[in-house]
């Protein structure tokens, strides 16, 4: 005798709501982050099938994910992000980055774009990034100011990056 079992595709409808009163939990989830502060919340609806979810904003007119006043220290990259404001909307088979703005090493940055999903997993991106007067340093090797206008697009397995990066006041040893 032989028997095979396979779960049936089932429709689901869930609501996910979370409040982040302090982002100090982020270093526990992402070990490359040395320190984190800020607040946030998530309100997302999840429908469709378990093997092919459909995401939506949980509260009409509000982003699915929002972070406010975020500060992240990434010691391995000598990167300090501060005053970061994030708004991400859920749009079925993609997440829309409506706002990602802040200060990176005393310079300004901004990003907008989409992250495409296939069967609930990220598979593609189309994100534009602008950075202005970001201080880049790895003492004692180099110091510079960087400006960038970049676009990352395509499938994650072979994403393309186009654009321009300008370094000024470069000191290299």
């Amino acid at each position: 005798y032989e028997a095979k079992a396979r779960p049936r595709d089932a429709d689901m409808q869930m609501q996910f709501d979370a409040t982040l009163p302090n982002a100090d939990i982020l270093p526990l989830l992402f070990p490359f982050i040395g320190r984190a502060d800020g607040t946030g919340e998530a309100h997302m609806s999840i429908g469709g099938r378990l093997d092919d979810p459909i995401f939506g904003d949980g509260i009409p007119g509000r982003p699915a994910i929002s972070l406010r006043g975020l500060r992240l220290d990434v010691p391995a990259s000598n990167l300090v992000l501060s005053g970061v404001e994030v708004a991400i909307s859920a749009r079925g088979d993609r997440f829309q980055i409506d706002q990602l703005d802040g200060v990176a090493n005393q310079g300004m940055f901004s990003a907008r774009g989409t992250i495409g999903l296939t069967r609930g997993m990220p598979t593609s991106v189309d994100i534009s990034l602008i950075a202005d007067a970001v201080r880049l340093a790895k003492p004692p090797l180099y110091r510079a100011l960087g400006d960038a206008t970049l676009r990352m697009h395509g499938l994650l397995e072979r994403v393309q990056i186009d654009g321009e990066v300008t370094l000024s006041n470069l000191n290299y040893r």
Side-chain angles (χ1 to χ4, degrees):
Y1 294 92
E2 182 177 350
K4 294 182 181 179
R6 185 175 143 229
R8 290 182 37 169
D9 293 335
D11 288 335
M12 65 174 169
Q13 186 60 47
M14 297 186 298
Q15 176 72 28
F16 175 79
D17 294 294
T19 301
L20 182 66
N22 193 326
D24 59 359
I25 192 172
L26 292 177
L28 298 174
L29 301 172
F30 305 100
F32 61 88
I33 297 174
R35 181 179 145 217
D37 294 308
T39 62
E41 58 186 315
H43 303 283
M44 191 178 321
S45 65
I46 305 169
R49 297 186 326 259
L50 286 173
D51 65 342
D52 194 10
I54 298 170
F55 298 93
D57 295 341
I59 300 174
R62 291 181 57 189
I65 300 168
S66 63
L67 301 170
R68 294 172 298 282
L70 194 63
R71 177 188 166 92
L72 300 172
D73 294 343
V74 184
S77 300
N78 290 328
L79 179 63
V80 176
L81 301 174
S82 60
V84 178
E85 302 290 322
V86 179
I88 299 174
S89 299
R91 300 283 182 256
D93 64 349
R94 72 184 191 283
F95 285 105
Q96 177 75 37
I97 302 169
D98 301 314
Q99 178 185 17
L100 176 52
D101 302 315
V103 176
N105 290 357
Q106 301 175 1
M108 302 301 291
F109 78 94
S110 178
R112 304 286 187 275
T114 59
I115 300 168
L117 306 171
T118 301
R119 300 181 76 75
M121 298 300 296
T123 53
S124 63
V125 294
D126 190 354
I127 298 174
S128 297
L129 170 74
I130 297 172
D132 184 40
V134 175
R135 295 183 185 277
L136 307 169
K138 185 147 183 107
L141 296 176
Y142 64 86
R143 293 179 194 283
L145 284 179
D147 297 329
T149 303
L150 300 172
R151 179 176 173 230
M152 296 178 8
H153 56 96
L155 297 175
L156 286 180
E157 58 208 27
R158 59 179 181 272
V159 69
Q160 294 182 344
I161 301 175
D162 304 319
E164 185 176 303
V165 176
T166 303
L167 297 176
S168 59
N169 301 331
L170 176 64
N171 292 316
Y172 182 79
R173 294 180 199 263

